[in-house]
């Protein structure tokens, strides 16, 4: 089955490089767990047999010790607009958020507040609340429209000389709202605060310009649009201007000046390596590297362009086929303000999503009443999306 939009799509041929794209299953959750690449299958086997199995402990000296920073530079250059030496891979996003938030509040002594929005991803809010408790700080909550997201005006009204840190998401996990990172960062800096951006839902689909935007700190996960596989390690960005003065709270041997000296004291090594704590997950980095190479081959701007077209098409199909059932679009309609997914709302979505999974159409559900359609630009086709929306229509028609 072919689709005119796929025929016209210059990135369409890349889809067959992903495992499983030859099956009729409709996968609309690439923003939660990206599909693996077929090259990764071979890469994993070769790694186990030759690098791990053959080089054994020598692998650390030969390649693995530098992998968290080498891969960090690759992600930085292909996806983040970050010059080398500012991105490291390791830990989970949650742990990195803790490390970076804790670093930020320590770098703004005397300031008493963390600004964060009530609709940020749960882990971001929980980590901020934990640090507030630990450090005797207060959270200043921003209330947002859950079909949109945080604006410059919201942040301008929330920051002041009490603000240590503003912690927000580049793309909202719920609505896909794209925050104006440059303008919000400027407003926070004018108040003397630091800014931490969560890039989980943008990295690999919505380009960032972290250096140009003046961002202080950022973190993101790699198993969504970077297809690193379940539990693949996260990345953090710390602007070069902060690297010599910022110190992170999980003082581990991998961030020490000479880890193999096994010395009595912790003296953070210079550069981004100081943000590592313990032994990084090498196996988890291999798949990320394959996907970053593919994004580089396609070009992040071409990826973004297809992402905008896919999400626009999803909205067009929803308006045409689902609006009559009372389904509404709970994501921005302006493609420039919308990331790589679209959320559709209906009070009975909690019943609809399991019926879709039974029919091999896999989006996800976000309470209350949100059907989230994740459109991973390199592995999703327009035909696949159309079949998915058609099945949603069928389920609504039979809902009774
Ligand atoms: C997916 C996601 C996370 C996940 O954090 P983990 O530590 O990897 O579980 C955090 N924040 C946002 C905004 C996300 O979308």
């Amino acid at each position: 089955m072919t689709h005119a939009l796929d025929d016209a799509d210059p990135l369409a041929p890349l889809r067959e490089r992903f495992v499983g794209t030859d099956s009729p299953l409709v996968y609309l959750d690439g923003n939660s767990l990206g599909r693996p690449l077929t090259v990764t299958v071979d890469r994993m086997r070769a790694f186990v047999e030759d690098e791990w199995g053959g080089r054994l402990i020598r692998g650390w000296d030969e390649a693995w010790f530098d992998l968290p920073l080498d891969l960090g530079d690759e992600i930085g250059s292909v996806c983040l607009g970050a010059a080398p030496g500012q991105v490291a891979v390791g830990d989970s996003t949650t742990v990195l958020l803790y490390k970076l938030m804790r670093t930020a509040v320590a770098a703004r002594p005397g300031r008493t507040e963390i600004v964060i929005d009530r609709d940020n991803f749960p882990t971001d809010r929980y980590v901020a609340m934990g640090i507030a408790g630990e450090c005797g700080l207060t959270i200043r909550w921003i209330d947002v429209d859950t079909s949109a997201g945080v604006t410059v005006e919201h942040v301008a009204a929330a920051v002041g000389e009490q603000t240590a840190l503003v912690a927000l998401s580049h793309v909202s996990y719920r609505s896909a709202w794209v925050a104006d990172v440059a303008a919000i960062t400027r407003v926070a800096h004018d108040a003397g605060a630091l800014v931490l951006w969560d890039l989980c839902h943008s990295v690999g689909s919505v380009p960032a310009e972290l250096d140009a935007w003046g961002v202080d700190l950022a973190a993101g996960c790699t198993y969504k649009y970077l297809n690193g596989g379940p539990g693949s390690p996260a990345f953090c960005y710390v602007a070069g201007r902060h690297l010599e003065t910022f110190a992170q709270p999980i003082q581990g041997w991998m961030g020490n000046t000479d880890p193999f000296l096994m010395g009595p004291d912790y003296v953070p090594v210079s550069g981004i390596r100081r943000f590592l704590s313990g032994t990084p997950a090498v196996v988890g980095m291999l798949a990320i590297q394959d996907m970053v190479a593919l994004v580089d081959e396609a070009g992040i701007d071409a990826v973004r362009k297809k992402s905008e077209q896919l999400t626009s098409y999803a909205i067009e199909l929803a308006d045409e086929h689902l609006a009559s059932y009372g389904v509404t679009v709970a994501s921005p309609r302006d493609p420039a303000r919308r990331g790589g997914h679209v959320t559709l709302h209906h009070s009975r979505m909690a019943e609809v999503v399991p019926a879709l999974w039974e029919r091999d159409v896999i989006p996800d559900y976000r309470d209350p009443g949100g059907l989230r359609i994740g459109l991973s630009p390199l592995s999703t086709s327009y035909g696949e999306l159309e079949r998915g929306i058609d099945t949603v229509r069928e389920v609504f028609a039979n809902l009774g």
Side-chain angles (χ1 to χ4, degrees):
M1 224 179 352
T2 59
H3 193 287
L5 291 171
D6 288 317
D7 294 340
D9 170 19
L11 300 181
L14 299 180
R15 182 167 183 265
E16 50 189 57
R17 299 208 206 162
F18 293 86
V19 174
T21 46
D22 52 354
S23 95
L25 181 128
V26 173
Y27 192 52
L28 301 176
D29 210 2
N31 60 322
S32 273
L33 181 68
R35 288 180 183 272
L37 280 161
T38 55
V39 288
T40 303
V41 178
D42 305 331
R43 175 95 185 263
M44 290 283 183
R45 164 172 285 277
F47 180 83
V48 174
E49 287 179 353
D50 306 332
E51 286 190 61
W52 174 14
R55 302 313 297 161
L56 294 163
I57 194 70
R58 293 169 291 185
W60 280 108
D61 291 334
E62 290 164 2
W64 308 332
F65 189 72
D66 290 326
L67 191 57
L69 308 195
D70 291 346
L71 178 56
D73 284 347
E74 289 161 30
I75 298 171
S77 120
V78 173
C79 304
L80 305 180
Q86 304 175 101
V87 181
V89 177
D91 304 317
S92 65
T93 301
T94 302
V95 170
L96 286 179
L97 288 171
Y98 176 80
K99 286 162 74 165
L100 296 181
M101 284 189 198
R102 196 67 180 68
T103 298
V105 301
R108 287 292 179 272
R111 291 183 172 237
T112 56
E113 291 186 359
I114 299 173
V115 171
I116 189 167
D117 68 290
R118 276 192 210 280
D119 203 40
N120 207 335
F121 192 83
T123 221
D124 302 57
R125 291 181 279 115
Y126 303 159
V127 168
M129 290 160 83
I131 288 177
E134 190 185 338
C135 301
L137 306 174
T138 308
I139 304 277
R140 181 177 288 257
W141 294 103
I142 294 176
D143 284 306
V144 298
D145 170 359
T146 55
S147 299
V150 180
T151 63
V152 184
E153 292 72 28
H154 286 134
V155 177
V159 295
E161 55 190 30
Q162 72 288 347
T163 316
L165 171 68
V166 177
L168 300 171
S169 287
H170 181 196
V171 170
S172 156
Y173 82 101
R174 189 192 304 277
S175 70
W177 171 263
V178 178
D180 186 342
V181 176
I184 289 175
T185 299
R186 223 175 297 124
V187 164
H189 284 172
D190 287 346
L194 292 163
V195 190
L196 165 61
W197 287 99
D198 184 320
L199 309 179
C200 284
H201 264 85
S202 60
V203 64
S205 78
V206 180
E209 290 294 341
L210 298 183
D211 290 347
W213 293 339
V215 167
D216 301 294
L217 304 159
C221 57
T222 58
Y223 49 80
K224 294 173 179 168
Y225 296 106
L226 291 184
N227 306 54
S232 62
F235 65 88
C236 66
Y237 163 93
V238 180
R241 64 183 176 280
H242 296 312
L243 276 172
E244 297 313 310
T245 50
F246 282 13
Q248 55 104 346
I250 317 268
Q251 303 187 158
W253 72 305
M254 278 281 170
N256 201 13
T257 298
D258 185 348
F260 296 101
L261 210 58
M262 310 272 166
D265 295 314
Y266 175 80
V267 180
V269 67
S270 65
I272 188 70
R273 181 178 286 283
R274 64 171 53 191
F275 279 82
L276 297 183
S277 295
T279 304
V282 173
V283 176
M285 292 188 219
L286 306 176
I288 308 170
Q289 205 161 34
D290 291 336
M291 185 61 185
V292 172
L294 185 67
V295 172
D296 195 23
E297 182 185 329
I300 187 74
D301 293 328
V303 171
R304 170 63 174 153
K305 192 167 164 220
K306 180 169 178 188
S307 168
E308 288 180 12
Q309 288 170 346
L310 275 165
T311 53
S312 291
Y313 189 50
I315 290 177
E316 189 186 316
L317 291 171
D319 285 341
E320 196 179 323
H321 301 295
L322 304 177
S324 55
Y325 296 102
V327 174
T328 55
V329 174
S331 290
R333 284 182 177 267
D334 173 6
R337 282 266 78 86
R338 186 175 68 228
H341 62 278
V342 170
T343 298
L344 301 178
H345 186 268
H346 191 281
S347 58
R348 295 181 70 183
M349 253 351 154
E351 296 164 64
V352 169
V353 175
L356 292 171
W357 280 47
E358 264 170 42
R359 289 166 168 79
D360 269 356
V361 171
I362 318 289
D364 68 16
Y365 176 74
R366 286 293 175 266
D367 216 33
L371 170 78
R372 219 172 47 149
I373 301 175
L375 300 160
S376 196
L378 296 179
S379 63
T380 310
S381 69
Y382 294 92
E384 185 181 16
L385 170 59
E386 187 174 289
R387 290 201 310 282
I389 299 286
D390 202 50
T391 311
V392 178
R393 185 193 52 72
E394 224 174 84
V395 170
F396 269 105
N398 293 316
L399 209 53

